[in-house]
Amino acid sequence: MSFLSVDLHSKTYPNSVCAAQDLRFAAKQGEFIAIVGPSGTGKSTLLNLIAGLDTDFAGTISYPPQTTLSFMFQEPRLLPWLSVADNIRLVLDAPQHCHDSARLARMDTLLQQLGLQDFRDSFPNQLSGGMKRRAALVRAFVTQPQLLLMDEPFQSLDEPTAQDLRQVLLKLWAESQPTVLFVTHSLNEALLLADRVLFLSPRPAKVILDYRVPLPRPRPQATSGLQSLQAELLHEFPALLSGLLTPPTFSQPHSP
Ligand code: ADP
């Protein structure tokens, strides 16, 4: 039985740009789904629609009422004038997450777990890029989301830091099992993290391949299974990351 169901007939912006058409998929509770597609196809648009940040579309998107949702963006989006702890408390102040002691205790546990306990009173400009992402992860998980939307959250980090954060994310996901939609450009990142990868076409976005990752967990970053799976997929679908299942064919000029 699906937790999230997306049946998007179309999403057209007022400037007539059509960002998605006939885009359909469903996700089970606790499933980790990566979304991979060419730049500008409509991945951020899709997450915004699912989050309800944009309600102007044709079709239906459904998940249970009262679902707790977190959104983690490409930039950590910490308010610079608030400490790490106050940035996190901010989401606990939302009316639906009244500031109870259990949630504050959960914040402390997460800060500890992610190695930020000594930085709770630091300001964002005193943190490294990796630590800011850790703070954003604490903020995303502190409300115990059932649906977690992640829009290239580890973009623009050096690879060792990104690798480290992927493992942190997997641990947090395994503990509380939210349904995750994780947008990424990286096939390697998608295959490392996800149960399923949805590959999207060029704009307007639709799902061209719904791929179940056949690797057992845990999946170490350097596992050869990951590398060979990636090579196999790209061998079978060389233009997959451009959003095409079959590469374009160019007609040969006729010889005189
Ligand atoms: P992706 O996340 O896959 O890079 P986006 O969802 O950001 O793609 O954008 C999909 C398309 O919609 C792009 O052509 C983009 O220019 C356009 N677009 C995104 N947001 C808006 C907007 N608010 N108004 C008009 N066009 C937009």
Side-chain angles (χ1 to χ4, degrees), residues 13-20 37-46 48 54 151-152 183 185 200 203 205:
Y13 284 107
N15 60 358
S16 305
V17 169
C18 180
S39 183
T41 180
K43 302 182 293 298
S44 301
T45 300
L46 173 65
N48 287 339
D54 180 354
D151 196 353
E152 302 197 57
V183 166
H185 276 109
L200 303 186
R203 186 166 64 77

mmCIF file with all atom_site columns, all heavy atoms in Angstrom, residues 13-20 37-46 48 54 151-152 183 185 200 203 205, ligand 1:
data_model
loop_
_atom_site.group_PDB
_atom_site.id
_atom_site.type_symbol
_atom_site.label_atom_id
_atom_site.label_alt_id
_atom_site.label_comp_id
_atom_site.label_asym_id
_atom_site.label_entity_id
_atom_site.label_seq_id
_atom_site.pdbx_PDB_ins_code
_atom_site.Cartn_x
_atom_site.Cartn_y
_atom_site.Cartn_z
_atom_site.occupancy
_atom_site.B_iso_or_equiv
_atom_site.pdbx_formal_charge
_atom_site.auth_seq_id
_atom_site.auth_comp_id
_atom_site.auth_asym_id
_atom_site.auth_atom_id
_atom_site.pdbx_PDB_model_num
ATOM   1   N N   . TYR A 1 13  ? 4.125  26.822 -15.555 1.00 0.00 ? 13  TYR A N   1
ATOM   2   C CA  . TYR A 1 13  ? 4.306  28.109 -14.884 1.00 0.00 ? 13  TYR A CA  1
ATOM   3   C C   . TYR A 1 13  ? 3.597  29.202 -15.679 1.00 0.00 ? 13  TYR A C   1
ATOM   4   O O   . TYR A 1 13  ? 3.334  29.038 -16.874 1.00 0.00 ? 13  TYR A O   1
ATOM   5   C CB  . TYR A 1 13  ? 5.807  28.418 -14.761 1.00 0.00 ? 13  TYR A CB  1
ATOM   6   C CG  . TYR A 1 13  ? 6.489  27.620 -13.666 1.00 0.00 ? 13  TYR A CG  1
ATOM   7   C CD1 . TYR A 1 13  ? 7.337  26.570 -13.966 1.00 0.00 ? 13  TYR A CD1 1
ATOM   8   C CD2 . TYR A 1 13  ? 6.267  27.932 -12.323 1.00 0.00 ? 13  TYR A CD2 1
ATOM   9   C CE1 . TYR A 1 13  ? 7.963  25.831 -12.958 1.00 0.00 ? 13  TYR A CE1 1
ATOM   10  C CE2 . TYR A 1 13  ? 6.883  27.202 -11.315 1.00 0.00 ? 13  TYR A CE2 1
ATOM   11  C CZ  . TYR A 1 13  ? 7.725  26.161 -11.637 1.00 0.00 ? 13  TYR A CZ  1
ATOM   12  O OH  . TYR A 1 13  ? 8.323  25.441 -10.634 1.00 0.00 ? 13  TYR A OH  1
ATOM   13  N N   . PRO A 1 14  ? 3.319  30.347 -15.034 1.00 0.00 ? 14  PRO A N   1
ATOM   14  C CA  . PRO A 1 14  ? 2.609  31.438 -15.743 1.00 0.00 ? 14  PRO A CA  1
ATOM   15  C C   . PRO A 1 14  ? 3.331  31.905 -17.004 1.00 0.00 ? 14  PRO A C   1
ATOM   16  O O   . PRO A 1 14  ? 2.708  32.415 -17.922 1.00 0.00 ? 14  PRO A O   1
ATOM   17  C CB  . PRO A 1 14  ? 2.553  32.564 -14.693 1.00 0.00 ? 14  PRO A CB  1
ATOM   18  C CG  . PRO A 1 14  ? 2.667  31.864 -13.380 1.00 0.00 ? 14  PRO A CG  1
ATOM   19  C CD  . PRO A 1 14  ? 3.521  30.648 -13.617 1.00 0.00 ? 14  PRO A CD  1
ATOM   20  N N   . ASN A 1 15  ? 4.664  31.688 -17.071 1.00 0.00 ? 15  ASN A N   1
ATOM   21  C CA  . ASN A 1 15  ? 5.391  32.094 -18.291 1.00 0.00 ? 15  ASN A CA  1
ATOM   22  C C   . ASN A 1 15  ? 5.319  31.008 -19.382 1.00 0.00 ? 15  ASN A C   1
ATOM   23  O O   . ASN A 1 15  ? 6.110  31.020 -20.315 1.00 0.00 ? 15  ASN A O   1
ATOM   24  C CB  . ASN A 1 15  ? 6.847  32.415 -17.962 1.00 0.00 ? 15  ASN A CB  1
ATOM   25  C CG  . ASN A 1 15  ? 7.578  31.215 -17.378 1.00 0.00 ? 15  ASN A CG  1
ATOM   26  O OD1 . ASN A 1 15  ? 6.997  30.144 -17.178 1.00 0.00 ? 15  ASN A OD1 1
ATOM   27  N ND2 . ASN A 1 15  ? 8.851  31.374 -17.096 1.00 0.00 ? 15  ASN A ND2 1
ATOM   28  N N   . SER A 1 16  ? 4.395  30.052 -19.204 1.00 0.00 ? 16  SER A N   1
ATOM   29  C CA  . SER A 1 16  ? 4.140  28.962 -20.172 1.00 0.00 ? 16  SER A CA  1
ATOM   30  C C   . SER A 1 16  ? 5.186  27.859 -20.169 1.00 0.00 ? 16  SER A C   1
ATOM   31  O O   . SER A 1 16  ? 5.132  26.959 -21.012 1.00 0.00 ? 16  SER A O   1
ATOM   32  C CB  . SER A 1 16  ? 3.971  29.469 -21.612 1.00 0.00 ? 16  SER A CB  1
ATOM   33  O OG  . SER A 1 16  ? 2.980  30.432 -21.650 1.00 0.00 ? 16  SER A OG  1
ATOM   34  N N   . VAL A 1 17  ? 6.174  27.920 -19.265 1.00 0.00 ? 17  VAL A N   1
ATOM   35  C CA  . VAL A 1 17  ? 7.135  26.810 -19.174 1.00 0.00 ? 17  VAL A CA  1
ATOM   36  C C   . VAL A 1 17  ? 6.426  25.634 -18.523 1.00 0.00 ? 17  VAL A C   1
ATOM   37  O O   . VAL A 1 17  ? 5.893  25.744 -17.416 1.00 0.00 ? 17  VAL A O   1
ATOM   38  C CB  . VAL A 1 17  ? 8.373  27.210 -18.328 1.00 0.00 ? 17  VAL A CB  1
ATOM   39  C CG1 . VAL A 1 17  ? 9.221  25.985 -18.014 1.00 0.00 ? 17  VAL A CG1 1
ATOM   40  C CG2 . VAL A 1 17  ? 9.202  28.243 -19.068 1.00 0.00 ? 17  VAL A CG2 1
ATOM   41  N N   . CYS A 1 18  ? 6.410  24.502 -19.258 1.00 0.00 ? 18  CYS A N   1
ATOM   42  C CA  . CYS A 1 18  ? 5.779  23.297 -18.716 1.00 0.00 ? 18  CYS A CA  1
ATOM   43  C C   . CYS A 1 18  ? 6.878  22.452 -18.069 1.00 0.00 ? 18  CYS A C   1
ATOM   44  O O   . CYS A 1 18  ? 7.785  21.973 -18.752 1.00 0.00 ? 18  CYS A O   1
ATOM   45  C CB  . CYS A 1 18  ? 5.074  22.533 -19.836 1.00 0.00 ? 18  CYS A CB  1
ATOM   46  S SG  . CYS A 1 18  ? 4.286  21.053 -19.222 1.00 0.00 ? 18  CYS A SG  1
ATOM   47  N N   . ALA A 1 19  ? 6.837  22.310 -16.750 1.00 0.00 ? 19  ALA A N   1
ATOM   48  C CA  . ALA A 1 19  ? 7.932  21.657 -16.025 1.00 0.00 ? 19  ALA A CA  1
ATOM   49  C C   . ALA A 1 19  ? 7.672  20.171 -15.792 1.00 0.00 ? 19  ALA A C   1
ATOM   50  O O   . ALA A 1 19  ? 8.611  19.434 -15.483 1.00 0.00 ? 19  ALA A O   1
ATOM   51  C CB  . ALA A 1 19  ? 8.161  22.364 -14.693 1.00 0.00 ? 19  ALA A CB  1
ATOM   52  N N   . ALA A 1 20  ? 6.439  19.729 -15.906 1.00 0.00 ? 20  ALA A N   1
ATOM   53  C CA  . ALA A 1 20  ? 6.160  18.305 -15.685 1.00 0.00 ? 20  ALA A CA  1
ATOM   54  C C   . ALA A 1 20  ? 4.901  17.931 -16.441 1.00 0.00 ? 20  ALA A C   1
ATOM   55  O O   . ALA A 1 20  ? 3.960  18.730 -16.529 1.00 0.00 ? 20  ALA A O   1
ATOM   56  C CB  . ALA A 1 20  ? 5.975  18.017 -14.203 1.00 0.00 ? 20  ALA A CB  1
ATOM   57  N N   . GLY A 1 37  ? 17.702 13.427 -12.791 1.00 0.00 ? 37  GLY A N   1
ATOM   58  C CA  . GLY A 1 37  ? 17.255 13.920 -14.097 1.00 0.00 ? 37  GLY A CA  1
ATOM   59  C C   . GLY A 1 37  ? 18.100 15.087 -14.515 1.00 0.00 ? 37  GLY A C   1
ATOM   60  O O   . GLY A 1 37  ? 18.767 15.705 -13.684 1.00 0.00 ? 37  GLY A O   1
ATOM   61  N N   . PRO A 1 38  ? 18.069 15.427 -15.805 1.00 0.00 ? 38  PRO A N   1
ATOM   62  C CA  . PRO A 1 38  ? 18.904 16.531 -16.279 1.00 0.00 ? 38  PRO A CA  1
ATOM   63  C C   . PRO A 1 38  ? 18.531 17.853 -15.608 1.00 0.00 ? 38  PRO A C   1
ATOM   64  O O   . PRO A 1 38  ? 17.403 18.019 -15.140 1.00 0.00 ? 38  PRO A O   1
ATOM   65  C CB  . PRO A 1 38  ? 18.626 16.580 -17.783 1.00 0.00 ? 38  PRO A CB  1
ATOM   66  C CG  . PRO A 1 38  ? 17.522 15.638 -18.061 1.00 0.00 ? 38  PRO A CG  1
ATOM   67  C CD  . PRO A 1 38  ? 17.266 14.805 -16.855 1.00 0.00 ? 38  PRO A CD  1
ATOM   68  N N   . SER A 1 39  ? 19.481 18.754 -15.600 1.00 0.00 ? 39  SER A N   1
ATOM   69  C CA  . SER A 1 39  ? 19.269 20.058 -14.988 1.00 0.00 ? 39  SER A CA  1
ATOM   70  C C   . SER A 1 39  ? 18.116 20.780 -15.688 1.00 0.00 ? 39  SER A C   1
ATOM   71  O O   . SER A 1 39  ? 17.989 20.704 -16.912 1.00 0.00 ? 39  SER A O   1
ATOM   72  C CB  . SER A 1 39  ? 20.575 20.843 -15.132 1.00 0.00 ? 39  SER A CB  1
ATOM   73  O OG  . SER A 1 39  ? 20.437 22.053 -14.499 1.00 0.00 ? 39  SER A OG  1
ATOM   74  N N   . GLY A 1 40  ? 17.255 21.417 -14.910 1.00 0.00 ? 40  GLY A N   1
ATOM   75  C CA  . GLY A 1 40  ? 16.163 22.201 -15.492 1.00 0.00 ? 40  GLY A CA  1
ATOM   76  C C   . GLY A 1 40  ? 14.963 21.379 -15.925 1.00 0.00 ? 40  GLY A C   1
ATOM   77  O O   . GLY A 1 40  ? 14.041 21.894 -16.548 1.00 0.00 ? 40  GLY A O   1
ATOM   78  N N   . THR A 1 41  ? 14.932 20.089 -15.550 1.00 0.00 ? 41  THR A N   1
ATOM   79  C CA  . THR A 1 41  ? 13.804 19.286 -16.013 1.00 0.00 ? 41  THR A CA  1
ATOM   80  C C   . THR A 1 41  ? 12.542 19.482 -15.170 1.00 0.00 ? 41  THR A C   1
ATOM   81  O O   . THR A 1 41  ? 11.429 19.334 -15.669 1.00 0.00 ? 41  THR A O   1
ATOM   82  C CB  . THR A 1 41  ? 14.141 17.782 -16.079 1.00 0.00 ? 41  THR A CB  1
ATOM   83  O OG1 . THR A 1 41  ? 12.986 17.098 -16.532 1.00 0.00 ? 41  THR A OG1 1
ATOM   84  C CG2 . THR A 1 41  ? 14.515 17.198 -14.754 1.00 0.00 ? 41  THR A CG2 1
ATOM   85  N N   . GLY A 1 42  ? 12.708 19.771 -13.884 1.00 0.00 ? 42  GLY A N   1
ATOM   86  C CA  . GLY A 1 42  ? 11.513 19.933 -13.051 1.00 0.00 ? 42  GLY A CA  1
ATOM   87  C C   . GLY A 1 42  ? 11.604 19.203 -11.723 1.00 0.00 ? 42  GLY A C   1
ATOM   88  O O   . GLY A 1 42  ? 10.581 18.972 -11.070 1.00 0.00 ? 42  GLY A O   1
ATOM   89  N N   . LYS A 1 43  ? 12.816 18.885 -11.286 1.00 0.00 ? 43  LYS A N   1
ATOM   90  C CA  . LYS A 1 43  ? 12.974 18.122 -10.032 1.00 0.00 ? 43  LYS A CA  1
ATOM   91  C C   . LYS A 1 43  ? 12.591 18.984 -8.819  1.00 0.00 ? 43  LYS A C   1
ATOM   92  O O   . LYS A 1 43  ? 11.838 18.542 -7.949  1.00 0.00 ? 43  LYS A O   1
ATOM   93  C CB  . LYS A 1 43  ? 14.430 17.622 -9.887  1.00 0.00 ? 43  LYS A CB  1
ATOM   94  C CG  . LYS A 1 43  ? 14.877 16.740 -11.046 1.00 0.00 ? 43  LYS A CG  1
ATOM   95  C CD  . LYS A 1 43  ? 16.284 16.224 -10.880 1.00 0.00 ? 43  LYS A CD  1
ATOM   96  C CE  . LYS A 1 43  ? 17.368 17.277 -10.949 1.00 0.00 ? 43  LYS A CE  1
ATOM   97  N NZ  . LYS A 1 43  ? 17.471 18.002 -12.245 1.00 0.00 ? 43  LYS A NZ  1
ATOM   98  N N   . SER A 1 44  ? 13.111 20.218 -8.766  1.00 0.00 ? 44  SER A N   1
ATOM   99  C CA  . SER A 1 44  ? 12.756 21.094 -7.636  1.00 0.00 ? 44  SER A CA  1
ATOM   100 C C   . SER A 1 44  ? 11.276 21.431 -7.678  1.00 0.00 ? 44  SER A C   1
ATOM   101 O O   . SER A 1 44  ? 10.610 21.489 -6.638  1.00 0.00 ? 44  SER A O   1
ATOM   102 C CB  . SER A 1 44  ? 13.567 22.393 -7.681  1.00 0.00 ? 44  SER A CB  1
ATOM   103 O OG  . SER A 1 44  ? 14.930 22.104 -7.628  1.00 0.00 ? 44  SER A OG  1
ATOM   104 N N   . THR A 1 45  ? 10.776 21.629 -8.888  1.00 0.00 ? 45  THR A N   1
ATOM   105 C CA  . THR A 1 45  ? 9.333  21.897 -9.053  1.00 0.00 ? 45  THR A CA  1
ATOM   106 C C   . THR A 1 45  ? 8.527  20.774 -8.421  1.00 0.00 ? 45  THR A C   1
ATOM   107 O O   . THR A 1 45  ? 7.577  21.014 -7.665  1.00 0.00 ? 45  THR A O   1
ATOM   108 C CB  . THR A 1 45  ? 8.994  22.014 -10.559 1.00 0.00 ? 45  THR A CB  1
ATOM   109 O OG1 . THR A 1 45  ? 9.743  23.092 -11.110 1.00 0.00 ? 45  THR A OG1 1
ATOM   110 C CG2 . THR A 1 45  ? 7.520  22.220 -10.782 1.00 0.00 ? 45  THR A CG2 1
ATOM   111 N N   . LEU A 1 46  ? 8.919  19.528 -8.716  1.00 0.00 ? 46  LEU A N   1
ATOM   112 C CA  . LEU A 1 46  ? 8.193  18.363 -8.196  1.00 0.00 ? 46  LEU A CA  1
ATOM   113 C C   . LEU A 1 46  ? 8.197  18.374 -6.662  1.00 0.00 ? 46  LEU A C   1
ATOM   114 O O   . LEU A 1 46  ? 7.151  18.176 -6.030  1.00 0.00 ? 46  LEU A O   1
ATOM   115 C CB  . LEU A 1 46  ? 8.851  17.084 -8.737  1.00 0.00 ? 46  LEU A CB  1
ATOM   116 C CG  . LEU A 1 46  ? 8.344  15.769 -8.170  1.00 0.00 ? 46  LEU A CG  1
ATOM   117 C CD1 . LEU A 1 46  ? 6.883  15.553 -8.564  1.00 0.00 ? 46  LEU A CD1 1
ATOM   118 C CD2 . LEU A 1 46  ? 9.197  14.590 -8.661  1.00 0.00 ? 46  LEU A CD2 1
ATOM   119 N N   . ASN A 1 48  ? 8.585  20.924 -4.665  1.00 0.00 ? 48  ASN A N   1
ATOM   120 C CA  . ASN A 1 48  ? 7.760  22.039 -4.185  1.00 0.00 ? 48  ASN A CA  1
ATOM   121 C C   . ASN A 1 48  ? 6.272  21.706 -4.242  1.00 0.00 ? 48  ASN A C   1
ATOM   122 O O   . ASN A 1 48  ? 5.505  22.069 -3.347  1.00 0.00 ? 48  ASN A O   1
ATOM   123 C CB  . ASN A 1 48  ? 8.016  23.299 -5.019  1.00 0.00 ? 48  ASN A CB  1
ATOM   124 C CG  . ASN A 1 48  ? 9.367  23.907 -4.710  1.00 0.00 ? 48  ASN A CG  1
ATOM   125 O OD1 . ASN A 1 48  ? 9.949  23.662 -3.649  1.00 0.00 ? 48  ASN A OD1 1
ATOM   126 N ND2 . ASN A 1 48  ? 9.897  24.677 -5.640  1.00 0.00 ? 48  ASN A ND2 1
ATOM   127 N N   . ASP A 1 54  ? 3.701  24.969 -3.711  1.00 0.00 ? 54  ASP A N   1
ATOM   128 C CA  . ASP A 1 54  ? 3.075  25.444 -4.947  1.00 0.00 ? 54  ASP A CA  1
ATOM   129 C C   . ASP A 1 54  ? 1.859  24.545 -5.165  1.00 0.00 ? 54  ASP A C   1
ATOM   130 O O   . ASP A 1 54  ? 1.995  23.315 -5.211  1.00 0.00 ? 54  ASP A O   1
ATOM   131 C CB  . ASP A 1 54  ? 4.106  25.317 -6.084  1.00 0.00 ? 54  ASP A CB  1
ATOM   132 C CG  . ASP A 1 54  ? 3.560  25.778 -7.422  1.00 0.00 ? 54  ASP A CG  1
ATOM   133 O OD1 . ASP A 1 54  ? 2.352  26.088 -7.502  1.00 0.00 ? 54  ASP A OD1 1
ATOM   134 O OD2 . ASP A 1 54  ? 4.346  25.823 -8.384  1.00 0.00 ? 54  ASP A OD2 1
ATOM   135 N N   . ASP A 1 151 ? 16.521 18.254 -1.569  1.00 0.00 ? 151 ASP A N   1
ATOM   136 C CA  . ASP A 1 151 ? 16.846 18.769 -2.900  1.00 0.00 ? 151 ASP A CA  1
ATOM   137 C C   . ASP A 1 151 ? 18.351 18.997 -3.004  1.00 0.00 ? 151 ASP A C   1
ATOM   138 O O   . ASP A 1 151 ? 18.856 20.047 -2.623  1.00 0.00 ? 151 ASP A O   1
ATOM   139 C CB  . ASP A 1 151 ? 16.073 20.080 -3.141  1.00 0.00 ? 151 ASP A CB  1
ATOM   140 C CG  . ASP A 1 151 ? 16.064 20.456 -4.612  1.00 0.00 ? 151 ASP A CG  1
ATOM   141 O OD1 . ASP A 1 151 ? 16.756 19.800 -5.404  1.00 0.00 ? 151 ASP A OD1 1
ATOM   142 O OD2 . ASP A 1 151 ? 15.366 21.431 -4.958  1.00 0.00 ? 151 ASP A OD2 1
ATOM   143 N N   . GLU A 1 152 ? 19.069 17.993 -3.482  1.00 0.00 ? 152 GLU A N   1
ATOM   144 C CA  . GLU A 1 152 ? 20.533 18.027 -3.608  1.00 0.00 ? 152 GLU A CA  1
ATOM   145 C C   . GLU A 1 152 ? 21.200 18.578 -2.351  1.00 0.00 ? 152 GLU A C   1
ATOM   146 O O   . GLU A 1 152 ? 21.947 19.551 -2.415  1.00 0.00 ? 152 GLU A O   1
ATOM   147 C CB  . GLU A 1 152 ? 20.922 18.876 -4.828  1.00 0.00 ? 152 GLU A CB  1
ATOM   148 C CG  . GLU A 1 152 ? 20.308 18.347 -6.104  1.00 0.00 ? 152 GLU A CG  1
ATOM   149 C CD  . GLU A 1 152 ? 20.991 18.897 -7.349  1.00 0.00 ? 152 GLU A CD  1
ATOM   150 O OE1 . GLU A 1 152 ? 22.207 18.705 -7.452  1.00 0.00 ? 152 GLU A OE1 1
ATOM   151 O OE2 . GLU A 1 152 ? 20.303 19.502 -8.166  1.00 0.00 ? 152 GLU A OE2 1
ATOM   152 N N   . VAL A 1 183 ? 16.601 14.310 -4.321  1.00 0.00 ? 183 VAL A N   1
ATOM   153 C CA  . VAL A 1 183 ? 17.004 14.738 -5.669  1.00 0.00 ? 183 VAL A CA  1
ATOM   154 C C   . VAL A 1 183 ? 18.517 14.824 -5.742  1.00 0.00 ? 183 VAL A C   1
ATOM   155 O O   . VAL A 1 183 ? 19.164 15.385 -4.851  1.00 0.00 ? 183 VAL A O   1
ATOM   156 C CB  . VAL A 1 183 ? 16.383 16.116 -5.997  1.00 0.00 ? 183 VAL A CB  1
ATOM   157 C CG1 . VAL A 1 183 ? 17.046 16.744 -7.213  1.00 0.00 ? 183 VAL A CG1 1
ATOM   158 C CG2 . VAL A 1 183 ? 14.887 15.981 -6.222  1.00 0.00 ? 183 VAL A CG2 1
ATOM   159 N N   . HIS A 1 185 ? 22.083 14.828 -8.758  1.00 0.00 ? 185 HIS A N   1
ATOM   160 C CA  . HIS A 1 185 ? 22.640 14.706 -10.106 1.00 0.00 ? 185 HIS A CA  1
ATOM   161 C C   . HIS A 1 185 ? 23.497 13.449 -10.213 1.00 0.00 ? 185 HIS A C   1
ATOM   162 O O   . HIS A 1 185 ? 23.878 13.046 -11.298 1.00 0.00 ? 185 HIS A O   1
ATOM   163 C CB  . HIS A 1 185 ? 23.602 15.877 -10.382 1.00 0.00 ? 185 HIS A CB  1
ATOM   164 C CG  . HIS A 1 185 ? 22.920 17.096 -10.849 1.00 0.00 ? 185 HIS A CG  1
ATOM   165 N ND1 . HIS A 1 185 ? 22.806 18.224 -10.074 1.00 0.00 ? 185 HIS A ND1 1
ATOM   166 C CD2 . HIS A 1 185 ? 22.318 17.371 -12.025 1.00 0.00 ? 185 HIS A CD2 1
ATOM   167 C CE1 . HIS A 1 185 ? 22.160 19.139 -10.762 1.00 0.00 ? 185 HIS A CE1 1
ATOM   168 N NE2 . HIS A 1 185 ? 21.851 18.645 -11.939 1.00 0.00 ? 185 HIS A NE2 1
ATOM   169 N N   . LEU A 1 200 ? 14.287 10.805 -14.647 1.00 0.00 ? 200 LEU A N   1
ATOM   170 C CA  . LEU A 1 200 ? 13.339 11.701 -15.324 1.00 0.00 ? 200 LEU A CA  1
ATOM   171 C C   . LEU A 1 200 ? 13.821 12.081 -16.716 1.00 0.00 ? 200 LEU A C   1
ATOM   172 O O   . LEU A 1 200 ? 15.031 12.135 -16.981 1.00 0.00 ? 200 LEU A O   1
ATOM   173 C CB  . LEU A 1 200 ? 13.140 12.983 -14.501 1.00 0.00 ? 200 LEU A CB  1
ATOM   174 C CG  . LEU A 1 200 ? 12.654 12.825 -13.054 1.00 0.00 ? 200 LEU A CG  1
ATOM   175 C CD1 . LEU A 1 200 ? 12.373 14.206 -12.443 1.00 0.00 ? 200 LEU A CD1 1
ATOM   176 C CD2 . LEU A 1 200 ? 11.398 11.971 -12.971 1.00 0.00 ? 200 LEU A CD2 1
ATOM   177 N N   . ARG A 1 203 ? 12.795 18.265 -19.639 1.00 0.00 ? 203 ARG A N   1
ATOM   178 C CA  . ARG A 1 203 ? 11.553 18.988 -19.432 1.00 0.00 ? 203 ARG A CA  1
ATOM   179 C C   . ARG A 1 203 ? 10.589 18.837 -20.621 1.00 0.00 ? 203 ARG A C   1
ATOM   180 O O   . ARG A 1 203 ? 11.044 18.965 -21.754 1.00 0.00 ? 203 ARG A O   1
ATOM   181 C CB  . ARG A 1 203 ? 11.932 20.463 -19.227 1.00 0.00 ? 203 ARG A CB  1
ATOM   182 C CG  . ARG A 1 203 ? 10.804 21.359 -18.849 1.00 0.00 ? 203 ARG A CG  1
ATOM   183 C CD  . ARG A 1 203 ? 11.347 22.673 -18.350 1.00 0.00 ? 203 ARG A CD  1
ATOM   184 N NE  . ARG A 1 203 ? 12.074 23.421 -19.370 1.00 0.00 ? 203 ARG A NE  1
ATOM   185 C CZ  . ARG A 1 203 ? 11.488 24.108 -20.336 1.00 0.00 ? 203 ARG A CZ  1
ATOM   186 N NH1 . ARG A 1 203 ? 10.185 24.136 -20.439 1.00 0.00 ? 203 ARG A NH1 1
ATOM   187 N NH2 . ARG A 1 203 ? 12.209 24.759 -21.218 1.00 0.00 ? 203 ARG A NH2 1
ATOM   188 N N   . ALA A 1 205 ? 9.203  17.127 -17.194 1.00 0.00 ? 205 ALA A N   1
ATOM   189 C CA  . ALA A 1 205 ? 9.651  15.907 -16.530 1.00 0.00 ? 205 ALA A CA  1
ATOM   190 C C   . ALA A 1 205 ? 8.568  14.842 -16.491 1.00 0.00 ? 205 ALA A C   1
ATOM   191 O O   . ALA A 1 205 ? 7.402  15.118 -16.200 1.00 0.00 ? 205 ALA A O   1
ATOM   192 C CB  . ALA A 1 205 ? 10.065 16.256 -15.101 1.00 0.00 ? 205 ALA A CB  1
HETATM 193 P P1  . ADP B 2 .   ? 15.486 21.180 -11.838 1.00 0.00 ? 1   ADP B P1  1
HETATM 194 O O1  . ADP B 2 .   ? 15.250 21.177 -10.362 1.00 0.00 ? 1   ADP B O1  1
HETATM 195 O O2  . ADP B 2 .   ? 15.252 19.833 -12.478 1.00 0.00 ? 1   ADP B O2  1
HETATM 196 O O3  . ADP B 2 .   ? 16.816 21.753 -12.246 1.00 0.00 ? 1   ADP B O3  1
HETATM 197 P P2  . ADP B 2 .   ? 13.348 23.164 -11.843 1.00 0.00 ? 1   ADP B P2  1
HETATM 198 O O4  . ADP B 2 .   ? 12.209 22.448 -11.246 1.00 0.00 ? 1   ADP B O4  1
HETATM 199 O O5  . ADP B 2 .   ? 14.090 24.142 -10.987 1.00 0.00 ? 1   ADP B O5  1
HETATM 200 O O6  . ADP B 2 .   ? 14.376 22.126 -12.507 1.00 0.00 ? 1   ADP B O6  1
HETATM 201 O O7  . ADP B 2 .   ? 12.840 23.961 -13.120 1.00 0.00 ? 1   ADP B O7  1
HETATM 202 C C1  . ADP B 2 .   ? 12.139 23.319 -14.173 1.00 0.00 ? 1   ADP B C1  1
HETATM 203 C C2  . ADP B 2 .   ? 11.806 24.353 -15.242 1.00 0.00 ? 1   ADP B C2  1
HETATM 204 O O8  . ADP B 2 .   ? 10.855 25.258 -14.735 1.00 0.00 ? 1   ADP B O8  1
HETATM 205 C C3  . ADP B 2 .   ? 13.015 25.185 -15.670 1.00 0.00 ? 1   ADP B C3  1
HETATM 206 O O9  . ADP B 2 .   ? 12.895 25.447 -17.048 1.00 0.00 ? 1   ADP B O9  1
HETATM 207 C C4  . ADP B 2 .   ? 12.844 26.462 -14.881 1.00 0.00 ? 1   ADP B C4  1
HETATM 208 O O10 . ADP B 2 .   ? 13.397 27.566 -15.571 1.00 0.00 ? 1   ADP B O10 1
HETATM 209 C C5  . ADP B 2 .   ? 11.343 26.591 -14.793 1.00 0.00 ? 1   ADP B C5  1
HETATM 210 N N1  . ADP B 2 .   ? 10.912 27.288 -13.569 1.00 0.00 ? 1   ADP B N1  1
HETATM 211 C C6  . ADP B 2 .   ? 11.215 26.932 -12.303 1.00 0.00 ? 1   ADP B C6  1
HETATM 212 N N2  . ADP B 2 .   ? 10.632 27.765 -11.422 1.00 0.00 ? 1   ADP B N2  1
HETATM 213 C C7  . ADP B 2 .   ? 9.941  28.669 -12.183 1.00 0.00 ? 1   ADP B C7  1
HETATM 214 C C8  . ADP B 2 .   ? 9.109  29.799 -11.877 1.00 0.00 ? 1   ADP B C8  1
HETATM 215 N N3  . ADP B 2 .   ? 8.863  30.154 -10.610 1.00 0.00 ? 1   ADP B N3  1
HETATM 216 N N4  . ADP B 2 .   ? 8.581  30.488 -12.898 1.00 0.00 ? 1   ADP B N4  1
HETATM 217 C C9  . ADP B 2 .   ? 8.821  30.125 -14.173 1.00 0.00 ? 1   ADP B C9  1
HETATM 218 N N5  . ADP B 2 .   ? 9.571  29.073 -14.539 1.00 0.00 ? 1   ADP B N5  1
HETATM 219 C C10 . ADP B 2 .   ? 10.128 28.351 -13.557 1.00 0.00 ? 1   ADP B C10 1
#
